[in-house]
Amino acid sequence: MRIGPGAAGQLGEVLRSLGLARPLIVTDPYLAGNGTARQLVADLAAQAIPATVYDRTRPDPTTTSVQGAVTVLAEGDFDCVVGLGGGSPMDTAKAVALLGTTGRPMRDYAAPTVTDTPALPLIAVPTTAGSGSECTRYTIITDDSGDTDEKMLCAGLAFLPTAALVDPLLTLPMPARLTADTGIDALTHAIEAYVSRRANPFTDGLALTALTAIARSLRTAYAHPDDLRARATMMLASTQAGMAFSNASVALVHGMSRPVGAHFHVAHGLSNAMLLPTVTAYSVPAATSRYADCARAMRLVGEAGSDEAAADALVAELRALNTDLAVPGPARHGIDPEQWERMTPTMARQALASGSPANNPRVPDQAAIEELYRSLMA
């Protein structure tokens, strides 16, 4: 990993250190249009490393959209993939690096399958402070081959980048909405990693450190987008939270968030933000002391006082954060309540099938998840 302002400029050096020289850069139209991808290509060309850019990734990548990049990879002479962007380009790049070596459909790699087989080397260059995808062994691809639109969680070392260049300068152009959504995504990763039934001492340290940093810097990065210190703090915290949840897993918020994104085309960080206060309040009784630790790491309360009061302060802060960062509920976001109700049983089934709710301190059944979905629309 290379971390800090200017880290992205070390891509050529990192490629050479890995014995790589023919990268396919997988990114999105925005980063191709604003010059970020072009700058990477120019930097590599100056070091005699030719690079090709695939810039047709889409938000919430699907099996169909991924296949377009796989085709480009198969038609060229590439020895690695560079994922440039936020969670969606990174998820696409991870899928491409694997499918380009196996030729099998993405559905074969959906949870509960764990894929540790080698893929093409992947170098991650994140441009948002949220997904943590640069250091996780997960990718999420929507199956659009049928009528379910299921967001498939795919896991294993095959999806873990070989190297990551974590450069906060790349986050400076992020608009306020993206800053908020990706920041709460990182916050959700840290909280869920800490309260997960699979948490361990290694992930606990990363999660609590990330929580302290996010609580200190997210509102500043949102209100003052040119504040490089806040941006750098959020970028590092996102990476730390990504390492935490990659080793401890996420829980109920993410399990419920993926179907919302798939069926209503809500950005992943935003759907997490919609769910986080409500799901946390539901989960607190089963792990009050762990949620209290989160509140103390975020400096919401002091060391004195009861765990119950600290956990209550955490829930109150999550609600206040959504207000301060203008996070809409499903109805305010424009989702039709009747369609939401019709899809609620399907979303609950898909949430359970992902496996993430089983990591939650309070493990819900389908009826409980349906009720949580309904409460968001109330």
Side-chain angles (χ1 to χ4, degrees):
M1 300 183 75
R2 305 291 177 90
I3 300 174
Q10 301 175 46
L11 177 58
E13 175 190 337
V14 169
L15 288 173
R16 289 195 183 283
S17 74
L18 296 169
L20 303 171
R22 301 184 306 280
L24 173 65
I25 300 175
V26 175
T27 189
D28 60 27
Y30 173 76
L31 291 167
N34 75 358
T36 302
R38 185 165 57 251
Q39 184 63 54
L40 276 190
V41 171
D43 290 346
L44 293 176
Q47 300 173 67
I49 299 176
T52 298
V53 175
Y54 177 86
D55 62 4
R56 297 192 297 278
T57 67
R58 50 160 284 177
D60 295 320
T62 67
T63 49
T64 298
S65 69
V66 166
Q67 192 55 47
V70 172
T71 299
V72 172
L73 183 72
E75 292 174 348
D77 180 26
F78 303 105
D79 61 5
C80 61
V81 176
V82 174
L84 171 67
S88 293
M90 207 72 72
D91 280 349
T92 300
K94 289 181 173 189
V96 169
L98 177 63
L99 298 183
T101 64
T102 68
R104 292 166 55 189
M106 200 70 212
R107 166 58 69 178
D108 287 357
Y109 304 105
T113 298
V114 175
T115 308
D116 291 333
T117 54
L120 276 180
L122 172 66
I123 292 80
V125 186
T127 61
T128 64
S131 75
S133 190
E134 67 274 8
C135 57
T136 72
R137 57 187 187 92
Y138 299 105
T139 190
I140 300 173
I141 306 296
T142 299
D143 185 358
D144 62 353
S145 61
D147 57 4
T148 63
D149 281 340
E150 177 188 353
K151 269 197 170 185
M152 300 183 296
L153 174 65
C154 306
L157 295 178
F159 304 111
L160 181 67
T162 305
L165 311 179
V166 182
D167 187 343
L169 293 175
L170 298 181
T171 69
L172 290 176
M174 284 200 301
R177 180 74 269 144
L178 185 59
T179 298
D181 295 346
T182 55
I184 296 180
D185 192 19
L187 177 64
T188 306
H189 292 155
I191 292 174
E192 291 209 299
Y194 190 75
V195 304
S196 168
R197 289 171 175 262
R198 297 172 58 188
N200 57 72
F202 172 74
T203 60
D204 284 354
L206 288 165
L208 293 176
T209 299
L211 284 171
T212 300
I214 293 167
R216 184 175 69 243
S217 300
L218 177 51
R219 285 182 174 89
T220 302
Y222 175 77
H224 305 285
D226 293 331
D227 189 318
L228 183 57
R229 177 176 293 183
R231 292 291 197 185
T233 300
M234 285 301 303
M235 193 70 156
L236 179 58
S238 171
T239 298
Q240 292 167 328
M243 293 176 71
F245 90 79
S246 187
N247 288 278
S249 191
V250 287
L252 181 56
V253 175
H254 275 75
M256 293 180 63
S257 174
R258 297 184 199 106
V260 173
H263 296 290
F264 296 100
H265 307 293
V266 178
H268 174 68
L270 179 55
S271 58
N272 276 347
M274 291 176 177
L275 286 156
L276 183 58
T278 297
V279 172
T280 300
Y282 166 84
S283 305
V284 159
T288 304
S289 66
R290 299 291 282 184
Y291 286 106
D293 288 345
C294 294
R296 294 184 180 111
M298 295 171 70
R299 309 292 191 261
L300 303 178
V301 295
E303 293 301 319
S306 69
D307 287 348
E308 289 76 11
D312 287 345
L314 174 64
V315 174
E317 165 63 3
L318 297 179
R319 289 174 175 148
L321 188 63
N322 275 9
T323 298
D324 293 346
L325 272 56
V327 174
R332 270 185 53 211
H333 189 62
I335 296 174
D336 177 64
E338 292 185 3
Q339 186 181 6
W340 180 270
E341 176 60 31
R342 283 195 304 272
M343 292 306 303
T344 287
T346 297
M347 291 195 296
R349 284 194 300 272
Q350 292 178 344
L352 282 172
S354 74
S356 296
N359 301 318
N360 206 57
R362 184 179 179 184
V363 180
D365 58 15
Q366 168 134 349
I369 294 179
E370 289 184 17
E371 186 56 35
L372 287 169
Y373 277 132
R374 292 187 179 103
S375 71
L376 294 179
M377 190 58 81

